[in-house]
Amino acid sequence: MNIKSYSLQELENLAEKIRKRILEVVSAKGGHLSSTLGAVELIIGMHYVFDVEKDPFIFDVSHQAYAHKLLTDRWEKFDTLRQFGGISGYTKPSESKYDYFSAGHSSTSVSIAVGAAKAIKLKKEDRTPVVLIGDGAMSAGMVYEALNELGYLKLPVVIILNDNEMSIGKPIGAISKYLTRLKAGKFYQNFKEKFKKILEAAPEDLKYTAKKVEEFFSVNGIWFEEMGLEYIGPIDGHNLEEIIETLKIAKELKKPVVVHAKTIKGKGYKQAEGYYEHWHGVGPFDLKTGEPLKKSSLSATKVYAQKLLEIAKKDEKVVGVTAAMPSGTGMKELMQAFPHRFWDVGIAEQHAVTSMAPMAKEGFKPFVAIYSTFLQRGYDQIIHDVCLDNYPVRFAIDRAGIVGADGETHQGVFDIGYLRILPNITLFAPRDFETLKKAVEFAYNFDKGPSAFRYPRGAFVLPDRVFEASDFELGKGEILVQNDEIMLIAYGNGVGKAYKVHKELEKRGIKTGILDLRFVKPFDKELLRSLKAKKWYVISDNAKEGGIAEMLDSFANEENLNVKIESFEYPDKFIPHGSVDEVERFLGVDYLSIAEKIADENSV
């Protein structure tokens, strides 16, 4: 959509139209809401001032990029948002040439912009990377690493800081607004350049006073300017005239510029305006009332949080941390109950992991609650700061397996592969809500080294009490259904799928056993040696590469076991968005597809 010829009134009308479209679709299908509603005018301003055909448009996390999608040939497709086979909820170059980079994890945007700016300079092209980053993303160290280099290189990059919660330097009254307008104008920018030259030539005894005068004009941007970046703002992030005027100036400067914009999260939908965490990502809801269409049910996250809270009430040595997801990981209740023992460190997974290692060293029992996909960001810290010296840090890995509509950037399928290879760590998984409680108890009592247990988003596949919940015993598996010919070897939430396969095959007259591994490090070699079944079918919600079947195949070769091992883990590809059932059918590892394949191989 080419909006460069639009009048200001037409742009404002477009903003209303975009908000309406976002609300219609997200209320029906679910998605990210408050952050994207708050960024509508900023994105319109980006498209008006810059050239999306050639300038890299870089959206941090891209929760806020729905308006960008609507402005780039996806208006009609927008009602397929986050649906299987539809458009992604994040920027995705394979979906559109206007999406410069895939984004689903926070705080990568400035680094991407620096890399793009270096390439543009080497190619001698006239293009300007423009970044839209939220204030929450500024809690991650990667942003500062990138800003540090950008301030040194002085490459032309425009960074729009979307400040929708806490102001970096809160504007006060009419004077602040006047100074903001002054700083956004050409007079001030010219004045500042001349003032710097005067400052350089001034005698030493005048430099201090002169510097203070300059700081008066730059009070909100001192920090950025100390890093070598130009600063403009704060501006009203919903005033299109002000946004466009400011972005034009920022573009003309041909330097690294931070444009600080104040916005309202959830702008245009009263129920979501302001800081309401539950409006960040939503399921389908009633547009008139804001009430969810589907009532929330018991989830693995809730059960984990309730059990840990129960233990924390009894033992003051229990502490915990999460990285910017207190509600999503269930840590919010613990933080409220014990604010001095449970922390949210912001988008800083590396710091979260390392900070718990000395807690363990000092005799505490730390729990690190992080999504599988985000724990990847703290991988070196798990190796270097936790496993190397064998500190008993407990990792509660939420959102393990396919997470649904968030897609490739969020699927929690790699944690088994990337953790299983590490010395000293213990890995285990519950199969249902009751064994999740047992898993939390085992982790609490396990002080021999680092441990990690994984559990799915929402509910387990296996209903509670299909099998009796027994205590976890280090390295011990459990045969749930005995069979001397075919064994379904499952792990974690895969036990529920194995049970459904087992029941489906029963209908076809094929008997199978079910073995719950419970542990993959150390795993129960003695139990596996004792199996009479010569056909092992591995069922687990993790990547096949580096997964459980590979582990068992290596073990069988070492032991010279005469067994056939077949994996029904996820194939070696990034997994698209969609419901778990839809995606698993697409991959051919849903319970019906598995049952069909096993039946074909074992039919008389």
Side-chain angles (χ1 to χ4, degrees), residues 375 382 386-387 390-397 415-416 419-429 439 442-454 472-476 491 517-523:
L375 191 60
I382 298 170
V386 176
C387 290
N390 204 32
Y391 294 122
V393 176
R394 291 93 173 151
F395 293 94
I397 306 175
D415 56 271
I416 290 174
L419 292 176
R420 190 173 65 81
I421 62 174
L422 303 183
N424 293 332
I425 200 164
T426 295
L427 304 179
F428 57 107
F442 178 84
Y444 164 69
N445 289 308
F446 187 72
D447 288 314
K448 294 180 180 178
S451 61
F453 57 99
R454 71 195 310 259
F472 280 83
E473 187 178 346
L474 181 62
K476 294 298 181 182
Y491 183 62
L517 274 175
R518 308 203 90 185
F519 288 82
V520 294
K521 189 164 189 178
F523 62 94

Side-chain angles (χ1 to χ4, degrees), residues 33 49 86 118 144 166 199 216 222 236 347 409 418 436 454 519 539 556 586:
L33 187 67
V49 174
K118 288 176 180 177
Y144 302 99
M166 187 180 296
L199 207 59
F216 172 75
I222 292 172
D236 182 349
I347 304 170
T409 59
Y418 70 67
L436 175 55
R454 71 195 310 259
F519 288 82
I539 301 174
F586 168 72

Side-chain angles (χ1 to χ4, degrees), residues 114-125:
V114 173
K118 288 176 180 177
I120 289 166
K121 182 179 181 181
L122 289 171
K123 293 166 76 175
K124 299 179 181 178
E125 294 177 345

Side-chain angles (χ1 to χ4, degrees), residues 389-528:
D389 287 327
N390 204 32
Y391 294 122
V393 176
R394 291 93 173 151
F395 293 94
I397 306 175
D398 203 326
R399 305 310 201 258
I402 291 175
V403 298
D406 281 332
E408 291 97 328
T409 59
H410 282 60
Q411 309 291 21
V413 300
F414 301 116
D415 56 271
I416 290 174
Y418 70 67
L419 292 176
R420 190 173 65 81
I421 62 174
L422 303 183
N424 293 332
I425 200 164
T426 295
L427 304 179
F428 57 107
R431 60 178 176 254
D432 56 17
F433 289 133
E434 289 303 310
T435 54
L436 175 55
K437 296 174 188 175
K438 300 285 188 182
V440 179
E441 288 175 356
F442 178 84
Y444 164 69
N445 289 308
F446 187 72
D447 288 314
K448 294 180 180 178
S451 61
F453 57 99
R454 71 195 310 259
Y455 46 93
R457 180 178 189 173
F460 286 88
V461 175
L462 186 69
D464 259 356
R465 298 182 178 84
V466 172
F467 302 107
E468 184 179 350
S470 58
D471 292 339
F472 280 83
E473 187 178 346
L474 181 62
K476 294 298 181 182
E478 183 179 5
I479 293 178
L480 303 175
V481 179
Q482 185 63 264
N483 187 271
D484 290 345
E485 293 184 5
I486 300 172
M487 187 61 69
L488 307 178
I489 299 181
Y491 183 62
N493 202 28
V495 175
K497 198 193 319 187
Y499 179 70
K500 294 175 80 170
V501 171
H502 167 78
K503 300 300 285 185
E504 181 65 26
L505 288 171
E506 260 189 346
K507 296 176 187 176
R508 306 180 187 212
I510 299 173
K511 301 291 185 182
T512 60
I514 303 174
L515 188 157
D516 179 1
L517 274 175
R518 308 203 90 185
F519 288 82
V520 294
K521 189 164 189 178
F523 62 94
D524 199 335
K525 296 181 180 180
E526 183 180 349
L527 179 61
L528 290 166

Side-chain angles (χ1 to χ4, degrees), residues 93-119:
S94 61
E95 177 182 293
S96 171
K97 67 178 183 179
Y98 302 112
D99 291 359
Y100 184 73
F101 232 78
S102 289
H105 290 189
S106 174
S107 312
T108 63
S109 59
V110 184
S111 294
I112 292 166
V114 173
K118 288 176 180 177

Side-chain angles (χ1 to χ4, degrees), residues 553-570:
D553 192 55
S554 176
F555 165 70
N557 286 334
E558 289 173 6
E559 298 285 327
N560 293 314
L561 300 179
N562 182 27
V563 295
K564 176 189 175 184
I565 300 172
E566 187 171 347
S567 171
F568 290 107
E569 298 157 290
Y570 299 138

